[in-house]
Amino acid sequence: MKQAIIFDMDGTLFQTNYILEPALAATFDYLREQGLWKGATPIDQYRKIMGVPLTVVWQTLCPEHDKSQHQESNRYFQQALIEQIENGTGSLYEQVEETLNQLAAHYPLYIASNGQMPYLQAIVKQYKLMKWIERVYSIDTVPSGNKSELVANVIRENSITSGFVVGDRASDIKAAQDNGLTAIGVHFDFAQPEELQQADFVVKSFAAIVQKIRA
């Protein structure tokens, strides 16, 4: 039997809120310069949907734009996020490094995220996560954009028989349930209490994950 732990990235390992506002502001400044946006940057609206596939992000924030413009906006936004990461603006959550080090001694660890791969790779490189993480999986590899399907790929490719999905949104919890794994919800920045109710366990600090896994 192979028991493993699969982590979400944004709002679970990485404090995306530190880089989200400046990157989104830069993107909407660009849209204003192009005459494609008027009014305030919809940061609060994005916070509410943080963690959904990027196609849904742009459909929600800019419903009047066509698919081509959504792709261009996302390209600009992704580059702005990566620049923020490389400039050291972001941060892992408190005790992530210590907890991953502790868990990696007993379990293989993976990341499965709705983020695009260059963005995920920037975080992994900046914070040297490959010391603990065996492989990173991006939603880029799943045409459906379905987190449950992404986690199923992690399970299949690594012969996982049991384990945990750790994340902050409903898609993480559903991905665990759909694949017969235990769902651990983290009640951090972007988490919604009504979504976390569906998790098997809920923690308010990253270090508390250790006790839930051993329970």
Side-chain angles (χ1 to χ4, degrees):
M1 294 181 65
K2 183 176 181 179
Q3 190 174 46
I5 308 171
I6 302 169
F7 293 94
D8 176 44
M9 178 67 89
D10 293 311
T12 299
L13 297 176
F14 184 65
Q15 296 192 61
T16 317
N17 56 312
Y18 285 165
I19 68 170
L20 178 63
E21 187 164 355
L24 201 66
T27 303
F28 277 83
D29 284 345
Y30 165 74
L31 291 175
R32 291 185 192 95
E33 291 171 2
Q34 302 300 312
L36 295 170
W37 187 261
K38 294 181 180 180
T41 299
I43 182 68
D44 289 336
Q45 190 176 11
Y46 193 13
R47 291 184 191 279
K48 293 177 182 178
I49 62 172
M50 186 67 198
V52 302
L54 289 165
T55 52
V56 178
V57 167
W58 295 107
Q59 289 167 3
T60 303
L61 298 185
C62 303
E64 71 281 9
H65 292 171
D66 61 21
K67 183 178 180 180
S68 177
Q69 183 56 54
H70 286 165
Q71 291 173 340
E72 175 61 18
S73 298
N74 185 63
R75 183 200 63 76
Y76 197 99
F77 179 54
Q78 292 300 308
Q79 187 56 45
L81 288 171
I82 290 171
E83 288 175 2
Q84 293 291 325
I85 293 165
E86 293 176 344
N87 290 338
T89 307
S91 178
L92 300 176
Y93 281 99
E94 186 176 354
Q95 298 178 309
V96 163
E97 293 179 320
E98 299 89 337
T99 304
L100 291 181
N101 189 57
Q102 187 175 356
L103 292 173
H106 304 283
Y107 307 93
L109 309 181
Y110 303 91
I111 289 172
S113 170
N114 279 337
Q116 294 185 313
M117 187 57 82
Y119 165 75
L120 298 174
Q121 289 173 331
I123 298 172
V124 167
K125 180 180 179 181
Q126 183 74 16
Y127 299 99
K128 301 178 174 63
L129 293 179
M130 294 314 289
K131 289 185 291 185
W132 307 293
I133 302 297
E134 298 207 1
R135 187 171 174 186
V136 178
Y137 288 79
S138 165
I139 203 67
D140 288 347
T141 62
V142 180
S144 68
N146 187 293
K147 189 70 169 282
S148 294
E149 185 177 345
L150 182 63
V151 168
N153 290 345
V154 180
I155 292 170
R156 183 180 62 257
E157 292 181 14
N158 298 284
S159 302
I160 296 168
T161 56
S162 63
F164 305 82
V165 175
V166 182
D168 65 323
R169 300 307 303 263
S171 61
D172 302 305
I173 296 167
K174 188 174 188 302
Q177 295 170 341
D178 287 348
N179 289 284
L181 303 181
T182 300
I184 298 179
V186 293
H187 198 170
F188 298 163
D189 295 305
F190 303 110
Q192 303 293 318
E194 63 274 14
E195 295 181 2
L196 295 179
Q197 289 178 0
Q198 304 302 315
D200 296 292
F201 302 106
V202 176
V203 298
K204 293 188 176 180
S205 72
F206 200 83
I209 294 169
V210 176
Q211 284 71 41
K212 298 304 180 184
I213 287 174
R214 291 179 176 176

